Amino acid sequence: MDKNHWEIIIIGGGLAGLIAAHQLSKAGKDVLLIEKKQYPFHRVCGEYISNEVRDFLIKENLYPSDIEPAEITKFRLTSVTGRPAEMDLDLGGFGVSRYYLDEFLYNKACSIGTTFLLQTQAEDVSFISQEDIFEVKLQGGDIIYGKHVLGAFGKRSKIDKQFQRDFMKTKSPFIGVKYHVRVEYPQDMVALHNFEGGYCGINRIEEGKFNLCYLGSREQLRAFGNIPEMERQVLHKNPHLKAIFENSDFLFDKPEVINEINFSPKNPVENHVLMIGDAAGLITPLCGNGMAIAIHTGKLAADNILQSRDRLSIEKKYSQLWNNHFKKRLWIGRKVQWLFGSQMVSSLSVNLMRHSEFVAGKIMENTHGTRVT
């Protein structure tokens, strides 16, 4: 990096940050993206993308067709005791690993002019109102400046703490755990299996592999001492999960794990920073739309910077569009989450899906968006 002034600085190189970087660079903007890791790398993620963003990705040549992502058209739900229900997905989607997709989008953004600063963290972001510019302090002490800053730093970060965002003030009871496995399982299905205290999703990704990812309880992990023992004592009580765990070829040396997953509401703009992806709001994993929402928010932020002339109109328009597209979906996701993770309510949710297709379809409809172009 040979300069310290940029038109746009994006902090975080997940889906939202990469999409925004690509779209802004494509329009001729001077973009720097800061990512604390080096591509490619694994992330704890469901690795299912709703088709709501497929048309957009294809139009922008950002759909990873070379690896033939898994086509997902069906949904299976099981209760804690293993009682199943199935239904067709309204839009459907595709499965692809973040390990592959993030690097694919990184290369696309590089090829169109985005500058990347990898293996570096942004530690402090300040808006200097007199100069209408951001000052960003980097790990190691360097300081850079940007006309606009997009916050794509995921579920929680040092910047969230610096901004004293409300969700940082409370502890979350959830942990996320992810594996890649090879297993005999339906190729066109995303399944959600309940266990006491959480739920586990599985779907096919590229190269015949499956993503196995669950939202569990921090208290249970503490009680059983380690992840394998918690899985044996808790997850395996669902016979479907027991069969998956006992019959899978696990491809990681150890699972990917994250703590402090918080679904509390967030503001889409903080201290003049446009928040995108999980930094703006995290939908509960059972809704299966986190990746699509991240892609959509990156596009919305880029569009607003390109279409609006002044900072106030960019912030106002982005907040309005974010709320219109996502606020209700995230709220419904938080409410629907109460139907999962315990024997009684998971049985109720399975019964609802089996006997009231209309209601189940409405829940699905209201946690999914419309197609993005």
Side-chain angles (χ1 to χ4, degrees):
M1 187 177 69
D2 58 359
K3 66 175 186 175
N4 64 357
H5 282 77
W6 300 85
E7 197 169 0
I8 297 154
I9 297 172
I10 301 172
I11 304 173
L15 295 180
L18 290 166
I19 291 294
H22 179 274
Q23 296 304 98
L24 290 163
S25 297
K26 178 185 173 185
K29 297 296 183 182
D30 183 33
V31 181
L32 173 70
L33 190 150
I34 304 165
E35 167 55 49
K36 63 184 179 181
K37 294 187 179 182
Q38 176 78 48
Y39 299 101
F41 59 92
H42 292 288
R43 300 178 189 265
V44 176
C45 180
E47 300 188 335
Y48 163 85
I49 304 181
S50 164
N51 277 337
E52 64 194 84
V53 296
R54 185 191 288 239
D55 292 345
F56 161 71
L57 293 175
I58 291 172
K59 182 182 74 173
E60 297 296 331
N61 195 29
L62 298 176
Y63 183 78
S65 55
D66 288 353
I67 58 161
E68 299 181 354
E71 296 292 337
I72 310 294
T73 60
K74 296 186 174 79
F75 173 59
R76 173 183 290 165
L77 175 69
T78 69
S79 69
V80 168
T81 59
R83 189 165 188 243
E86 292 184 12
M87 66 185 293
D88 292 333
L89 290 166
D90 55 349
L91 288 177
F94 57 98
V96 59
S97 72
R98 294 295 300 275
Y99 187 87
Y100 179 88
L101 182 60
D102 286 23
E103 185 182 36
F104 172 80
L105 294 175
Y106 160 69
N107 288 326
K108 289 287 187 179
C110 284
S111 71
I112 209 162
T114 302
T115 300
F116 282 83
L117 187 57
L118 301 178
Q119 297 181 294
T120 302
Q121 280 190 277
E123 300 201 326
D124 185 276
V125 177
S126 302
F127 180 67
I128 305 171
S129 56
Q130 306 95 303
E131 300 177 36
D132 192 36
I133 200 168
F134 288 93
E135 178 186 89
V136 179
K137 294 180 181 178
L138 303 176
Q139 183 181 31
D142 288 344
I143 296 175
I144 57 175
Y145 299 90
K147 177 66 175 175
H148 300 286
V149 170
L150 303 185
F153 32 72
K155 298 169 180 62
R156 56 193 297 121
S157 76
K158 290 184 177 181
I159 309 301
D160 291 315
K161 187 175 182 180
Q162 178 210 339
F163 286 180
Q164 299 182 325
R165 301 182 80 188
D166 286 343
F167 76 92
M168 294 290 287
K169 299 171 186 175
T170 57
K171 284 275 190 181
S172 167
F174 300 114
I175 60 167
V177 181
K178 170 185 140 175
Y179 303 93
H180 282 172
V181 301
R182 293 194 185 278
V183 63
E184 289 295 322
Y185 209 78
Q187 304 282 298
D188 59 351
M189 177 178 289
V190 57
L192 198 65
H193 300 293
N194 277 273
F195 56 87
E196 199 67 44
Y199 45 87
C200 180
I202 181 169
N203 63 269
R204 189 166 68 93
I205 51 173
E206 71 275 6
E207 299 174 345
K209 296 179 289 188
F210 284 78
N211 184 56
L212 182 66
C213 189
Y214 66 85
L215 186 75
S217 161
R218 192 179 59 196
E219 289 299 319
Q220 287 177 341
L221 177 57
R222 187 179 293 119
F224 292 107
N226 58 67
I227 285 174
E229 187 61 22
M230 180 184 72
E231 289 168 351
R232 284 190 291 270
Q233 297 293 335
V234 181
L235 278 70
H236 289 199
K237 289 183 178 178
N238 182 321
H240 297 273
L241 285 176
K242 188 172 189 288
I244 291 168
F245 274 83
E246 290 183 347
N247 295 288
S248 290
D249 177 17
F250 284 78
L251 305 178
F252 294 167
D253 292 333
K254 60 181 181 179
E256 293 289 320
V257 183
I258 55 171
N259 297 299
E260 293 292 328
I261 304 173
N262 196 309
F263 303 106
S264 301
K266 302 175 182 178
N267 294 321
V269 179
E270 294 270 13
N271 295 359
H272 303 288
V273 175
L274 303 188
M275 300 295 180
I276 58 179
D278 290 347
L282 182 60
I283 195 165
T284 51
L286 59 93
C287 297
N289 290 286
M291 292 173 74
I293 288 175
I295 290 167
H296 194 177
T297 59
K299 176 185 183 298
L300 283 180
D303 287 348
N304 274 279
I305 288 173
L306 295 173
Q307 294 167 5
S308 301
R309 292 186 178 182
D310 62 273
R311 188 178 306 282
L312 181 62
S313 62
I314 290 171
E315 293 177 13
K316 183 177 179 181
K317 185 67 173 176
Y318 178 69
S319 294
Q320 180 185 43
L321 287 170
W322 190 94
N323 285 319
N324 287 345
H325 283 288
F326 310 119
K327 188 174 183 178
K328 181 181 177 183
R329 292 173 66 179
L330 269 63
W331 181 86
I332 291 173
R334 290 192 294 272
K335 299 304 177 186
V336 172
Q337 174 128 315
W338 290 104
L339 295 175
F340 296 81
S342 79
Q343 184 167 326
M344 183 178 72
V345 296
S346 68
S347 294
L348 287 172
S349 61
V350 167
N351 286 336
L352 175 69
M353 191 167 146
R354 288 170 70 105
H355 301 298
S356 184
E357 200 170 298
F358 174 78
V359 174
K362 279 295 179 184
I363 291 173
M364 186 175 291
E365 178 184 321
N366 281 284
T367 55
H368 285 59
T370 55
R371 289 187 181 270
V372 180
T373 57

